Amino acid sequence: MVTGTEVLTGRIADRNGPWLADRLLELGVELAHITICGDRPRDIEAQLRFLAGEGVDLIITSGGLGPTADDLTVDTVARFCGRDVVLDAALEARIAEILKPMMARYSGPGAPDFATVRAANRKQAMIPAGSTVLDPVGTAPGVVVPGTPTVVVLPGPPRELQPMWHKAIGTPEVQLAIAGRTHYEQQTVRMFGLPESGLADTLRYAQQVIPNFLRLEITTCLRGGELEIVTRYEPDAAAAYSQLLAVLRERHARAIFSEDGSRIDDLVARLLAGRWIATAESCTAGLLAGRLADPPGASDYLAGGVVSYANEAKADLLGVDPALIAEHGAVSEPVAEAMAAGALRRFAADTAVAITGIAGPGGGTPDKPVGTVCFCVALGDGTRLTRTTRLPGDRADVRERSTTVAMHLLRRTLSTG
Amino acid sequence: MVTGTEVLTGRIADRNGPWLADRLLELGVELAHITICGDRPRDIEAQLRFLAGEGVDLIITSGGLGPTADDLTVDTVARFCGRDVVLDAALEARIAEILKPMMARYSGPGAPDFATVRAANRKQAMIPAGSTVLDPVGTAPGVVVPGTPTVVVLPGPPRELQPMWHKAIGTPEVQLAIAGRTHYEQQTVRMFGLPESGLADTLRYAQQVIPNFLRLEITTCLRGGELEIVTRYEPDAAAAYSQLLAVLRERHARAIFSEDGSRIDDLVARLLAGRWIATAESCTAGLLAGRLADPPGASDYLAGGVVSYANEAKADLLGVDPALIAEHGAVSEPVAEAMAAGALRRFAADTAVAITGIAGPGGGTPDKPVGTVCFCVALGDGTRLTRTTRLPGDRADVRERSTTVAMHLLRRTLSTG
């Protein structure tokens, strides 16, 4: 149950429903309903009543735990569960401790004084009697209210909700509520460069040749050019999964890049150990360098990059010959290669990736329509992989997907090098 | 009511709920609930019963209109509304016409023959008796089932649902169902640099001093350091909103950056018209340049940038004196200023932004803990704004929020310059 007028009205996309759905799936807990409502107690209560009436064992709520008067989830859940709301003095003290350093960042006229803030946040230390407190990650604590159904109350911001869910799942109350779950194995295979219809064909074939195929619960998902195949099965159907994996390997060896759920970003980070990489980006304008810097410890392999959005920048910062741009166009394989060579040289790197393309909506031509993107991966030993792709979607899709293609080209180059 | 196991389990993000929420808001129709369930008739029916029980005038469903056996929405809605399902022969013929050219694209072994496809799609021409057909945009027609509540049944793919919603809203049945809608005004104010509790304090004050305060429906949302305040009111409460706006301006003039809903990215893009900007990024590693390149037409103002992740890159590509780094550390105001100066020079730009910080999880010191980020905005005329902030959250939060701080510093510099 996701609460929050800003989510209901679409101003914020709900990230908690999908994330919790994934966690429940991993646990083997069946999810029946996701509901979203605004900050009105009447609607919150109606949804609680509906879900409880459906006979669920567990209700998870997100949102409505802030200090403002329109945050009403705890009160409403308490009333629904027939419990009083009581002040947890120890919790109030913990919240005050959390607020002190945060307050230190604000000063000047208009900034609230500490007493005001503390009073506003006393509200957050009021919890349903007999419930278990989940310590705050931000300033909002969660609670687990035991009962039938058990209700887990979590804050709305995903970076607070996610660690607090892991705490919630460890409480005896939640363990009791999900005791009836089925234990499943779950395996994930990832592929790149195979259309979904090709996989559908293989799965039809697998169904014919694998005896217990129907005991495998397979879901496939195409996202940004990558195919994710998630298979869930009860432990005694493991042989069927092994056979499925054999079929996938036999037919799509080249497309499979991960059999253990690892993502391309993890694989590339591992392959970059001991290397020194630089980027040269045009249409992606830094998104690839930004993505390479995502993992903690990226400074071990990331030298840096040049965003050469303007042609002058390609010449001045990467040493791309303007004549090359004049002859082939800024979006061309020779320019991508010159950009990669320039990045190698300028950063004294042993690995470089260059991207130049037309993200749209303008700039397309009949020869080079929007979505045309040229890539070059170059290594210090002279190895070079150059590719041109035509990517679907709008400006944001093309830019995002370009970084994914670059990651796969990097992986291919580094794992065969 | 969004149906579909792939949406419930989070493998596909629901885009229909938020989109329809926006359309309803525009119409002044109040949205009470969004519900999501899988393809099980039992769950679909339970949600219909819940929503009808809440006394809504209109239920909109999305999904479950495909030709396969697990697509059950129409049957379930018909049963719920107490109507038989009948074949619409004219609709069946229209679907057949639509399918012919689509079938022509598939051929070869494994392709379904036309008779099979047509039989599967006869299912899609079965509609609740007495309902109004919404012609298909793909192959799935929608229906409007009159009654209390009126039920609008739409397909799941957004590119089909969206045009069909516009048809649905034109039917007399839907117009009748939403006849009681209220005409609302909606205004959005955005702030930066004010804690949520400070706003809560101001709103409590506003409630005391503004006569019709309670006629304003205010929702506040804190996201990445920005506060969004959305106020909805009936036209005759406009005076109360003006007074609220006056209070906000009086108490938080410096924090308010938008009173008309404009986002910081739009404001910065507008301020950059006629300018030529370059970035120099360390911890954000290209995310700011990537963000500046988001709007179509960014090539009018974005020269490029340097991702100087390693100290060598700061020296070699931006001309930062290594002695400066040795003396003050790479994360320091003097280094941020030297990076900005280097970006101005290297890209022959008139505007530059530099970011250098400690995103974590490692690298923090007692003096400069994780989250310490230094910024410098420099203009060609010598104007310079330098700031150090301590940002909360994990590595991803610090990096993301750093780009937001940079956007606000840019705005501040360019709008006073």
Side-chain angles (χ1 to χ4, degrees), chain B residues 2-10 36-39 44 62-64 71 73:
Chain B
V2 176
T3 73
T5 301
E6 70 284 5
V7 178
L8 178 70
T9 56
I36 306 175
C37 68
D39 295 311
I44 297 175
S62 90
D71 284 318
T73 306

Side-chain angles (χ1 to χ4, degrees), chain B residues 45-242:
Chain B
E45 215 166 324
Q47 293 195 347
L48 288 168
R49 215 166 34 235
F50 163 61
L51 295 169
E54 286 298 295
V56 301
D57 300 303
L58 181 68
I59 297 174
I60 308 165
T61 76
S62 90
L65 305 188
T68 53
D70 60 347
D71 284 318
L72 295 158
T73 306
V74 170
D75 277 8
T76 310
V77 167
R79 194 165 52 242
F80 175 75
C81 296
R83 293 173 187 259
D84 288 332
V85 172
V86 294
L87 177 68
D88 183 322
L91 179 59
E92 188 186 15
R94 285 208 293 288
I95 295 175
E97 281 308 308
I98 292 168
L99 289 173
K100 266 183 195 160
M102 296 178 68
M103 290 300 302
R105 283 209 299 274
Y106 294 98
S107 59
D113 65 285
F114 187 63
T116 307
V117 174
R118 188 163 166 175
N121 283 277
R122 163 166 289 206
K123 169 178 173 297
Q124 296 182 296
M126 303 291 294
I127 63 163
S131 61
T132 301
V133 172
L134 301 168
D135 271 346
V137 170
T139 65
V143 287
V144 178
V145 188
T148 311
T150 295
V151 184
V152 175
V153 179
L154 297 173
R159 65 173 199 83
E160 299 182 26
L161 174 137
Q162 294 177 8
M164 288 169 72
W165 165 251
H166 292 298
K167 288 185 200 169
I169 202 70
T171 62
E173 293 85 352
V174 173
Q175 283 297 322
L176 185 66
I178 64 171
R181 67 198 162 112
T182 313
H183 291 271
Y184 284 109
E185 302 286 328
Q186 180 172 312
Q187 302 282 350
T188 302
V189 170
R190 297 179 197 278
M191 299 191 188
F192 180 74
L194 180 75
E196 201 172 13
S197 50
L199 178 63
D201 190 40
T202 295
L203 292 179
R204 272 190 299 273
Y205 166 76
Q207 179 160 4
Q208 286 161 14
V209 299
I210 299 176
N212 278 312
F213 182 83
L214 291 176
R215 298 203 51 209
L216 303 175
E217 190 184 315
I218 302 170
T219 58
T220 65
C221 172
L222 176 67
R223 190 169 30 189
E226 292 182 345
L227 264 176
E228 180 185 78
I229 304 118
V230 177
T231 309
R232 226 162 62 119
Y233 52 90
E234 294 176 54
D236 64 342
Y241 182 72
S242 300

Side-chain angles (χ1 to χ4, degrees), chain A residues 67-402:
Chain A
T68 51
D70 61 345
D71 284 319
L72 296 158
T73 306
V74 170
D75 277 6
T76 311
V77 167
R79 195 163 53 241
F80 176 76
C81 296
R83 291 171 188 261
D84 287 333
V85 172
V86 295
L87 176 68
D88 184 321
L91 179 58
E92 189 188 13
R94 285 208 292 287
I95 295 175
E97 280 308 308
I98 292 168
L99 288 174
K100 266 183 196 160
M102 295 177 70
M103 289 303 301
R105 285 208 301 276
Y106 295 97
S107 59
D113 65 285
F114 187 63
T116 307
V117 173
R118 189 164 166 176
N121 282 278
R122 165 168 286 207
K123 170 177 171 295
Q124 297 182 296
M126 302 293 293
I127 63 163
S131 60
T132 302
V133 172
L134 301 168
D135 270 346
V137 171
T139 65
V143 286
V144 177
V145 189
T148 312
T150 296
V151 184
V152 176
V153 179
L154 299 173
R159 69 175 193 84
E160 299 182 25
L161 175 136
Q162 295 177 8
M164 287 170 71
W165 166 250
H166 292 297
K167 287 184 201 169
I169 202 68
T171 61
E173 294 84 353
V174 173
Q175 284 296 322
L176 186 67
I178 65 170
R181 69 199 162 114
T182 311
H183 289 271
Y184 286 108
E185 302 285 329
Q186 180 169 313
Q187 303 281 350
T188 302
V189 171
R190 299 180 196 278
M191 299 190 189
F192 180 74
L194 180 74
E196 204 170 11
S197 52
L199 178 63
D201 190 41
T202 295
L203 292 179
R204 274 191 298 273
Y205 166 77
Q207 180 161 4
Q208 286 161 14
V209 299
I210 299 175
N212 277 315
F213 182 83
L214 291 176
R215 298 206 50 210
L216 305 176
E217 190 184 316
I218 302 170
T219 57
T220 65
C221 172
L222 177 67
R223 191 166 26 190
E226 293 182 344
L227 262 176
E228 181 185 78
I229 304 119
V230 177
T231 308
R232 227 163 59 121
Y233 52 90
E234 293 177 54
D236 64 340
Y241 182 72
S242 299
Q243 288 172 283
L244 172 64
L245 191 56
V247 168
L248 293 175
R249 282 177 183 159
E250 191 190 303
R251 296 187 137 207
H252 308 295
R254 216 179 127 74
I256 295 174
F257 67 88
S258 164
E259 294 184 355
D260 64 357
S262 297
R263 294 172 186 278
I264 186 66
D265 293 58
D266 308 325
L267 297 172
V268 166
R270 259 175 259 158
L271 287 165
L272 284 172
R275 293 193 156 267
W276 196 231
I277 188 171
T279 60
E281 303 179 64
S282 183
C283 61
T284 48
L287 298 180
L288 177 64
R291 187 164 168 178
L292 288 169
D294 279 346
S299 52
D300 290 344
Y301 50 75
L302 180 60
V306 168
V307 177
S308 53
Y309 212 65
N311 285 343
E312 297 88 321
K314 292 182 184 72
D316 296 348
L317 279 102
L318 292 167
V320 177
D321 185 350
L324 204 65
I325 298 177
E327 188 182 353
H328 302 280
V331 177
S332 62
E333 296 195 350
V335 168
E337 289 173 352
M339 287 168 65
L344 274 184
R345 207 167 49 238
R346 293 307 308 268
F347 289 88
D350 55 38
T351 311
V353 196
I355 306 177
T356 177
I358 302 159
T365 64
D367 265 12
K368 294 177 185 171
V370 167
T372 304
V373 185
C374 301
F375 300 84
C376 178
V377 178
L379 304 186
D381 65 6
T383 304
R384 205 162 69 176
L385 177 64
T386 308
R387 287 280 181 284
T388 300
T389 58
R390 198 162 296 170
L391 301 174
D394 64 14
R395 180 175 175 85
D397 294 330
V398 169
R399 296 174 71 218
E400 175 61 33
R401 200 178 280 206
S402 292

Side-chain angles (χ1 to χ4, degrees), chain B residues 14-33:
Chain B
D14 170 41
R15 286 169 51 200
N16 295 329
W19 188 85
L20 287 167
D22 259 356
R23 299 296 79 68
L24 293 169
L25 200 72
E26 283 169 5
L27 286 167
V29 176
E30 192 161 6
L31 174 61
H33 301 277

Side-chain angles (χ1 to χ4, degrees), chain A residues 39-83:
Chain A
D39 294 312
R40 289 196 300 202
R42 180 190 177 287
D43 294 338
I44 297 175
E45 213 166 327
Q47 292 195 348
L48 289 169
R49 216 166 34 235
F50 162 62
L51 295 170
E54 286 298 294
V56 300
D57 299 303
L58 182 69
I59 297 175
I60 308 163
T61 76
S62 90
L65 304 189
T68 51
D70 61 345
D71 284 319
L72 296 158
T73 306
V74 170
D75 277 6
T76 311
V77 167
R79 195 163 53 241
F80 176 76
C81 296
R83 291 171 188 261

